[in-house]
């Protein structure tokens, strides 16, 4: 037992020295249902159920710091599959959010450019790769999407999402 105390001390010191792990989307782990779908509600909607997708939108990302689509209109309650294809030679991403949150997050990304991506409203897409986001837009309003890799958002790699009220 006496020999294990230095080993335990070393292990604890290593954990403390590692520091916090920065991740997109906040510090808390999202609550998920039995199908792995997060129950977290955001101002711009929530993670969608793949079985309830009403349509698919293809968005390509380019090294000229643009998406091929910069305006999307959906109805409140609609669940989209957003298929992202990086057609560039550098990393790009798409993060859904409010304008204020995206601007704040872009500033944080400047300080921590290697943040992990673990929230259902974002996708980090390597060159020539494809990823998807499935999102339920359950609140009407004007929202945004953008690439928050340092310099990309500021260069204009942004888009707008208009969520119209549900039909009566």
């Amino acid at each position: 037992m006496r020999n294990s105390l230095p080993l335990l001390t070393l292990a604890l010191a290593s954990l403390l020295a590692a520091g916090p792990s920065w991740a997109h989307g906040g510090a808390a782990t999202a609550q998920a249902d039995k199908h792995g779908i997060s129950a977290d509600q955001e101002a711009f909607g929530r993670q969608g159920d793949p079985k309830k997708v009403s349509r698919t939108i293809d968005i390509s990302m380019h090294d000229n710091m643009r998406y091929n689509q910069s305006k999307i209109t959906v109805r409140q309650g609609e669940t989209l599959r957003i298929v992202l294809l990086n057609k560039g030679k550098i990393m790009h991403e798409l993060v859904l959010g409010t304008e204020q949150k995206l601007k704040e997050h872009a500033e944080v990304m400047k300080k921590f450019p290697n943040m992990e991506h673990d929230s259902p409203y974002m996708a980090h897409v390597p060159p020539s790769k494809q990823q998807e986001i499935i999102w339920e837009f359950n609140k009407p309003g004007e929202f945004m999407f953008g690439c928050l890799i340092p310099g990309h958002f500021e260069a204009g790699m942004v888009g707008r999402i208009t969520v119209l009220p549900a039909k009566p």
Side-chain angles (χ1 to χ4, degrees), residues 17 39 41 53 57 70 80-81 83 88 91 95 109 114 133 144 159:
Q41 177 67 51
V53 169
I57 302 236
S70 62
L80 295 184
R81 173 181 288 62
V83 178
M91 184 74 73
V95 180
M109 283 289 292
N114 296 319
I133 295 173
M144 291 183 69

Side-chain angles (χ1 to χ4, degrees), residues 5-70:
L5 186 56
L7 185 59
L8 181 60
T9 303
L10 180 62
L12 183 57
S14 296
L15 285 172
L16 293 173
S21 173
W22 294 96
H24 281 294
T29 303
Q31 296 291 328
D33 69 10
K34 65 182 180 177
H35 303 290
I37 299 170
S38 172
D40 290 354
Q41 177 67 51
E42 302 290 341
F44 49 94
R46 64 182 174 208
Q47 183 176 13
D49 182 342
K51 295 175 188 154
K52 295 180 180 177
V53 169
S54 55
R55 69 182 158 127
T56 298
I57 302 236
D58 295 314
I59 298 178
S60 59
M61 309 160 150
H62 303 269
D63 290 347
N64 66 354
M65 303 305 148
R66 297 292 183 267
Y67 298 105
N68 71 321
Q69 292 193 57
S70 62

Side-chain angles (χ1 to χ4, degrees), residues 68-88:
N68 71 321
Q69 292 193 57
S70 62
K71 293 181 182 176
I72 298 170
T73 302
V74 300
R75 282 268 176 208
Q76 180 182 3
E78 195 173 359
T79 300
L80 295 184
R81 173 181 288 62
I82 304 169
V83 178
L84 307 161
L85 176 60
N86 185 345
K87 291 191 172 185

